[in-house]
Amino acid sequence: MKRLFRNSFKSIAMVSSMAMLFLCCTDNYERVGEEAKKTIYPQGVAQNFKLTYTEMPEKLESEAIDSSKVVAVLTSPISEDFENLRFKHQTFPEGLQIDFYNEKGEKTVIKADYGISYSITNLIDLRGNVVIDSHDGKKLEAPQIYWDRSNEWIFTQEKFKYTNPEDGTVMDGEGMDFNRDFTFFNAHKTYGLMMIKEELE
């Protein structure tokens, strides 16, 4: 009887000790900042990525094979696909280039160090040394620019530098929006150097 009691006591003591050990080892550390972020991995990664945006005519002939028109071509060394998330998007961590084509087939080029394409909103966020070179020599430089694919509209709230060789002007400003062909350009705030070429009589 004493031996059974002694063994039961040892078992209870062992179980209590183990329970206390596990309770003491719980992680009560509260993670903040970078530690608190959950690591999210893409569902796919593509190298030498190329995406062609095309436009179809309103009336599509049954025999028409080459009736679609190339509107833009997006290329990037790497594309990361996060289409499995609630807010679906693609990232271009090593930069990207977008070639726009107007009705005449003339090309305007946008380059950036980093980009995010949001499929739900049809918006592309371009960041880092963003440069737009239009087919007629106009150039826009900014740290960040958004391209609204649905409305074919480009805009930013950041500082920018706009060079127009047609009238010999260089404009510095902050915040602007324009269409992809630069036929409409609205600068929200301008300042700095502006050189205007004078016409000789």
Side-chain angles (χ1 to χ4, degrees), residues 1 11 17 28 40 49 70 83 96 103 116 148 156 168 185:
M1 184 74 177
S11 298
S17 299
N28 294 327
I40 300 171
F49 180 80
V70 174
E83 296 292 314
L96 72 159
E103 298 293 328
I116 306 175
D148 183 349
T156 186
F185 185 92

Side-chain angles (χ1 to χ4, degrees), residues 74 76 78-80 89-96 98 112-118 123-128 130 145:
L74 189 155
S76 176
I78 289 183
S79 170
E80 297 176 334
H89 65 279
Q90 279 181 289
T91 61
F92 305 95
E94 293 185 12
L96 72 159
I98 305 170
D113 293 341
Y114 182 82
I116 306 175
S117 175
Y118 299 101
L123 194 73
I124 294 181
D125 178 1
L126 304 164
R127 302 177 190 173
V130 184
I145 284 177

Side-chain angles (χ1 to χ4, degrees), residues 57-147:
E58 290 182 19
K59 293 182 180 179
L60 187 63
E61 302 289 332
S62 59
E63 299 292 323
I65 297 171
D66 299 325
S67 58
S68 64
K69 179 180 68 174
V70 174
V71 176
V73 178
L74 189 155
T75 54
S76 176
I78 289 183
S79 170
E80 297 176 334
D81 185 357
F82 293 94
E83 296 292 314
N84 57 328
L85 300 179
R86 183 178 296 174
F87 200 67
K88 304 174 188 304
H89 65 279
Q90 279 181 289
T91 61
F92 305 95
E94 293 185 12
L96 72 159
Q97 177 175 318
I98 305 170
D99 300 333
F100 289 109
Y101 296 92
N102 65 12
E103 298 293 328
K104 298 176 183 177
E106 297 166 323
K107 182 168 76 170
T108 295
V109 179
I110 299 181
K111 292 181 181 178
D113 293 341
Y114 182 82
I116 306 175
S117 175
Y118 299 101
S119 53
I120 295 173
T121 58
N122 247 354
L123 194 73
I124 294 181
D125 178 1
L126 304 164
R127 302 177 190 173
N129 300 312
V130 184
V131 178
I132 302 176
D133 288 306
S134 70
H135 63 88
D136 55 1
K138 294 171 186 169
K139 186 176 185 178
L140 181 80
E141 300 165 82
Q144 184 177 26
I145 284 177
Y146 295 97
W147 171 34

Side-chain angles (χ1 to χ4, degrees), residues 151-197:
N151 299 310
E152 297 184 355
W153 203 252
I154 300 167
F155 59 95
T156 186
Q157 296 299 321
E158 302 288 336
K159 292 181 179 178
F160 68 86
K161 180 180 178 183
Y162 175 66
T163 307
N164 186 350
E166 288 179 354
D167 54 11
T169 60
V170 177
M171 181 193 311
D172 289 319
E174 188 172 341
M176 57 84 195
D177 55 293
F178 58 95
N179 61 2
R180 69 177 187 188
D181 296 327
F182 281 103
T183 53
F184 177 86
F185 185 92
N186 177 32
H188 304 168
K189 181 179 177 183
T190 59
Y191 54 87
L193 179 66
M194 184 179 286
M195 297 177 295
I196 301 174
K197 183 172 63 177

